[in-house]
Amino acid sequence: MGRNASVTLSLLSLGPEIKVKCYNKYFVNGYVFYTEEYEQGRKAYNSGVGVKGSTFNEFEVDYYGKLEEIIELQYHSKHNRVFLFKCY
C-alpha cells in the first residue's frame, strides 16, 4: 500500500465530519434525482428510486421508494465524500 492509500485510510478511520450538506437535487452519471419535496408543483417528476435486490438464496426483493433527502458526508478531505439517499 502506498503513502496516499494509508493517508486516505487514516482520514476515513476518523469518521465523517460533524457538518453535513443537504441537497434537493443531485446529478450523477448523466442522471438527475430530485427530492419529493422539491418536485411539488413541477411538471416533471424524478424522485422515484429503484434498487435491484440480491440475496444468497433464490428470493430477490427489489426496492422501490421515493427520495426524501439527499445528504453529503465528508471524511476530512474534499476527495472523500459519500452521498446518501434517504428514501421511504
Side-chain angles (χ1 to χ4, degrees):
M1 220 174 7
R3 173 151 167 63
N4 286 341
S6 13
V7 169
T8 300
L9 287 175
S10 295
L11 292 172
L12 287 173
S13 72
L14 297 172
E17 294 180 6
I18 293 174
K19 293 187 279 184
V20 299
K21 292 180 182 177
C22 296
Y23 299 93
N24 54 20
K25 59 185 169 187
Y26 182 66
F27 299 94
V28 62
N29 297 332
Y31 296 96
V32 61
F33 297 92
Y34 299 110
T35 60
E36 189 174 37
E37 181 181 358
Y38 180 80
E39 288 183 329
Q40 296 301 318
R42 297 181 184 274
K43 291 181 181 180
Y45 289 93
N46 198 20
S47 63
V49 279
V51 177
K52 180 148 179 62
S54 64
T55 58
F56 294 107
N57 56 35
E58 68 275 5
F59 302 106
E60 290 188 1
V61 179
D62 296 341
Y63 173 80
Y64 299 95
K66 291 293 227 168
L67 188 52
E68 189 174 355
E69 285 184 273
I70 303 168
I71 301 166
E72 177 189 3
L73 299 179
Q74 192 151 340
Y75 285 82
H76 304 282
S77 165
K78 66 179 181 178
H79 302 293
N80 294 327
R81 300 180 305 162
V82 175
F83 289 86
L84 304 173
F85 284 14
K86 180 181 176 186
C87 302
Y88 65 94

